[in-house]
Every structure is written in structure tokens, then in C-alpha cells.
Amino acid sequence: MCISLSLCPSLTSGSQSFTFHRNLLSCRSTPSKNYPFLIRSRLSMDSTTPEVAYDYSPFLRIYKDGHVERLRGTDIVPSGLDPKTNVLSKDAVYSPELNLSSRLYRPRNTNPDKKLPVLVYYHGGGFCIETPFNFRYHDHLNNLVAVSNVIAISVDYRLAPEHPLPIAYDDSWTALKWVASHVNGDGPEEWLNSHADFGQVFLAGDSAGANLAHQLAMRYGQEKLSGIDLTGVILVHAYFWGKEPIGTEGENLETKSRIDAIWHFVCPTSSGLDDPLINPLVDPRLDSLGCDRLLVIIGGKDVLRERG
């Protein structure tokens, strides 16, 4: 069975992983009146309080002094053995120059004579919040590895607005190249040298992470990585968009304008909402997608579902 299919229960059943994705979708439903998506130049009544330039509550705020305050996804939990799933995890640096790490996961009880498929996972968060090291993603990856019997690499990448796109794409590609450096069994990370089957490599991600997984599969299709066989890609509630609304996207133009704005916020050098980075349907190179199988999962109430 294709490992992408064996991932389905953890993403769509009544498991904790389903709860993770249900919570993720609830975070990007139509913004409430209590949290306007974008407020410019909010004046402070207290002169000692920094003035807010952009308010993206409940996700982040940007102050006029340049400070960025992230309002969610900043907690850090340690790696180690998860007693619920019997999955081991540890952190490994993939780019010493940029001080970027990934969190690796594998089942505790592995057959030393049998290699495991490789899952490279990219977290969501609109390219500007979240981390693979917080509780939500750590718990999600533990469950995912337990039900799928894979070795997983959950990738950290630099976030906008301090590091606008395409930086996250470049970081994510650097991480994938680091994974590929282990194909001959002499890479820097023993778990990958000993347990990884590079003939079965899968890319996956949710929201912005699904966008990253797609774009990396596109890049792989053009550049390849020696020794890596990209068997499949899994896109969960993918962050794709476009200039012209399709389906239900046109029912609420206020919501669409808010989503339009965040793309320009995270990728200020973009050509626009029909940039292939955000709208793969207009990408003339789409047939060069470098994987054999593609699994797309959408949420029925997700405002981005039509693109999926």
C-alpha cells in the first residue's frame, strides 16, 4: 500500500490528529468582529505602550518600532520518548549557518534490518507563525508516525515578515537537501543513516506547509536530488489562492480581501495573486510536478477549500 494512503487515518479519523486539523481549520474560518484581520496604525492611549502598525489578531501584531509579537504557536516542548505513542523524537540542525533545525521522529521499536519510508513534514501558519517544536505539531507528528510507521523530519523554516517569501521555500529546500545527504549512509544524522528508505520519500504539510510541499515537489521535478525517490506528496488544507474567486470564494468579498492581503504581506515581491507560488493552477510548469502520487485533503468549511 502506498504510504500516503496509510496516512489517511491519522488525518481524517476521530483521532487526535483529526482534532489537530479541526482546530487548524477553525483558526482560519471567517474572522470574527472581535478580531479584524488588518488594522493599520492603531494609536495607543498609553504613551508607554508601543504603537501597533498592523494587527493580524489572533495571529500576530507588528509594531511601528519593528517588533513582531506572535500570539500563537510560540510554545516549545522537548523532544524525547512519547509514552502515548511509543515514538522517539530528537532535534537535529540542518543548516548551521542559519541555525535552523528539524525535529526527527521514529517508532521506538524498529527492526534494524528493515528501512522505514521517509516523511518530510512542513508546518502551517500562513508563513508567519507556528513552529515544529510546539505542542500541537509535536503531538501531531507523534501520532502520525505511530500510525504510519515512518521516520519523519518536521522542518523549521524562517518566518515572515522578518524573513519574507521566498525565504521559507529556500529553507525548506535546504532541509530536503540535508535529508538527501544521508542516502549513502554517511550523513550527519544516525537515525537517517540507519533507518531511512530513500526509495520511499514523501513530502507533506498543512496550510502554508502544504504550499511548501507542493513547491518543493515542483522544484524536485526540475532539479532532482540524487538518491531520493519522491514517491508521493500529501497536501492538507493547502494554502492556495488566486486573483479571480472560484466557487464559494466569491460569496464574501471582505474575507477574500483579507486573504488577498496576507499573501502580499508574506511575499511582498510577488507578482500578485496569480503568482504560481500561490496559484498553482496557472503554473505552466505544473506537469513537471516531481512525484508519482498526490493526496489532497480539504476541510469542508475551510475558506481555502475550493483551491484544494
Side-chain angles (χ1 to χ4, degrees), residues 212-262:
L212 287 167
H214 169 79
Q215 294 299 335
L216 264 64
M218 292 292 298
R219 187 164 178 176
Y220 173 87
Q222 298 168 65
E223 299 183 26
K224 303 296 183 185
L225 289 172
S226 179
I228 291 282
D229 183 0
L230 184 56
T231 306
V233 175
I234 304 148
L235 308 181
V236 183
H237 318 317
Y239 176 21
F240 295 140
W241 202 238
K243 182 178 180 180
E244 297 300 326
I246 61 175
T248 58
E249 292 174 359
E251 294 178 0
N252 190 325
L253 295 181
E254 181 181 1
T255 297
K256 186 180 186 309
S257 68
R258 289 167 175 158
I259 298 173
D260 292 352
I262 198 169

Side-chain angles (χ1 to χ4, degrees), residues 62-85:
I62 304 172
Y63 294 87
K64 285 197 169 182
D65 63 4
H67 171 66
V68 177
E69 179 187 14
R70 290 181 168 83
L71 305 177
R72 58 179 298 139
T74 60
D75 59 296
I76 302 295
V77 296
S79 59
L81 175 64
D82 179 54
K84 295 185 303 179
T85 58

Side-chain angles (χ1 to χ4, degrees), residues 214 241 246 276 278-284 286 306-307:
H214 169 79
W241 202 238
I246 61 175
I278 190 66
N279 187 358
L281 298 179
V282 300
D283 192 342
L286 189 58
E306 300 288 354
R307 304 286 163 170

